[in-house]
Amino acid sequence: MSQQDMHHKFSSFQLSLYVIAAAVLLVGLLSAGLIYRTAAEQEHRAGSYQIIDGHAYEVAPGDSKAYLRDMELYGGTSGILIANFNRWLGSLWHGKRLAYLLAIFSVVIAYICFSVARGQMHDQPESH
C-alpha cells in the first residue's frame, strides 16, 4: 500500500467521522429542542392531599409520611436514599429533563467524534 493510498484512507475516515459528528450534533440538538418545546410540565400524581388553612395541597406518593415511615422501617435510611435516587433517575427520562439529557449526550458524542477525527490528522504519515 503506498503512502498516497494511506493518505486517502485516513482522509475518508476523517471525513466520515466529521460527517457522523455533525449529524449526531444536528439530530441530537434538533430532537432535544423538539422534545423541550412539546414537553408538558411534569404531571403531579397525588397520592393524597393535605389540607392546610382550607387549601388542599397535593402530596406525592413518595413524600407521604406513611410511605417514608414504611420505607425506613423496611429498608432503613439507605432504603429511603435508594428510593429517592431511583425516583430522580426515573424522572430524567421524561419531559424537559429528557431534552436536557439528549442535548448533553449529543454534544459529548459529537465532541468525541470530532476529537478522534482531529487526532487522526496528527497520526497521518507526512507525504514527501
Side-chain angles (χ1 to χ4, degrees), residues 42-43 45 81-99 101:
Q42 210 171 18
E43 297 176 15
R45 294 175 289 159
L81 292 174
I82 291 169
N84 287 339
F85 177 74
N86 193 19
R87 193 174 350 150
W88 171 78
L89 192 61
S91 74
L92 292 177
W93 304 108
H94 302 286
K96 292 185 178 184
R97 287 186 177 185
L98 175 62
L101 196 63

Side-chain angles (χ1 to χ4, degrees), residues 95-127:
K96 292 185 178 184
R97 287 186 177 185
L98 175 62
Y100 292 133
L101 196 63
L102 184 60
I104 290 169
F105 280 159
S106 63
V107 167
V108 168
I109 291 171
Y111 177 77
I112 290 169
C113 289
F114 276 126
S115 296
V116 169
R118 291 188 78 194
Q120 289 296 321
M121 214 167 28
H122 300 298
D123 294 342
Q124 288 181 7
E126 293 185 24
S127 58

Side-chain angles (χ1 to χ4, degrees), residues 10-28 106 109-118:
F10 282 122
S11 294
S12 65
F13 179 67
Q14 282 179 305
L15 182 61
S16 298
L17 281 176
Y18 283 132
V19 168
I20 289 169
V24 165
L25 189 62
L26 182 67
V27 170
S106 63
I109 291 171
Y111 177 77
I112 290 169
C113 289
F114 276 126
S115 296
V116 169
R118 291 188 78 194

